[in-house]
């Protein structure tokens, strides 16, 4: 019998020790509730890291299948170990590659974007063809540790200012995208929930 709680606790401890960014508690709790409430069966995640959110989404209920893409080898290998420890090899499919090189034929009820923040628009445009007609794309880190709401002069470095600008552009892209209804939630590090319009 797998002790899922112990596996998750160990992943959280590892993430903290090794500085691996994983979802904050209220963000992942929202995702799990969203999956159960909206009868989500197939999830595509861009940005596995060590498998923390992929495993928690798969644990939402026994019908959920998660495909998740990670480009960092060390993190991918750690995720493979964690999925095995959680006994979820049959329902969590991990892909080791840059998401921009991955071509998927399947359709998903939910696409969760949690990878390079400057590339959100590109991920969205690339993978929306894999979204079911009534599916949802959820994106994390739209508040980026509170920096998105700060004045430009309050952001300490030029690189960070460029990143924040890209996140703001993505927010505008979502707000003006007529094919989706997007709500922005101040949960975790800021979530956008973009439901495809019928
Ligand atoms: N979703 C994970 C969780 O909450 O457990 C956290 C993901 S972490 C915030 C973002 C991950 O995306 C990093 O491990 C990074 O290597 C990966 N990543 C960034 N850009 C990527 C890309 N183009 N293709 C695949 N993975 C990418």
């Amino acid at each position: 019998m797998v002790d899922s709680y112990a596996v998750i606790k160990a992943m959280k401890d590892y993430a903290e020790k090794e500085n691996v960014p994983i979802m904050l508690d209220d963000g992942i709790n929202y995702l799990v509730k969203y999956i159960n409430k909206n009868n989500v069966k197939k999830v595509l995640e861009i940005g596995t890291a060590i498998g923390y959110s992929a495993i928690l989404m798969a644990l939402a209920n026994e019908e959920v299948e998660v495909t998740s893409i990670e480009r960092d080898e060390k993190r991918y290998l750690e995720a493979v170990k964690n999925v095995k420890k959680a006994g979820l090899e049959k329902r969590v499919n991990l892909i080791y590659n840059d998401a921009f090189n991955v071509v998927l034929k399947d359709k998903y009820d939910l696409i969760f974007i949690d990878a390079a923040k400057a590339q959100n628009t590109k991920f969205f445009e690339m993978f929306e063809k894999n979204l079911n007609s009534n599916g949802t794309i959820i994106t994390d880190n739209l508040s980026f540790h509170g920096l998105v709401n700060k004045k430009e002069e309050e952001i300490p470095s030029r690189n960070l200012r460029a990143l924040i600008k890209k996140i703001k552009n993505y927010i505008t892209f979502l707000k003006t995208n007529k094919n989706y209804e997007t709500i922005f939630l101040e949960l975790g590090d800021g979530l956008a929930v973009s439901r495809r319009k019928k």
Side-chain angles (χ1 to χ4, degrees), residues 161-175:
R161 279 197 291 278
L163 174 60
I164 298 304
K165 196 168 172 209
K166 286 195 170 146
I167 295 175
K168 282 184 175 166
N169 288 345
Y170 180 62
I171 291 171
T172 305
F173 163 81
L174 293 178
K175 282 183 178 165

Side-chain angles (χ1 to χ4, degrees), residues 20-24 28 45-54 68-72 75 97-100 112 114-117 119 123 140-141:
V20 178
I22 58 170
M23 280 199 93
L24 296 173
I28 185 65
E45 177 181 62
I46 321 294
T48 318
I50 58 169
Y52 175 75
S53 52
S68 185
I69 309 172
E70 174 57 55
R71 69 178 173 189
D72 180 279
R75 289 182 181 176
N97 207 335
D98 191 303
F100 291 115
F112 175 46
D114 189 18
K117 309 306 159 202
Q119 315 274 4
F123 291 131
D140 193 22
N141 302 107

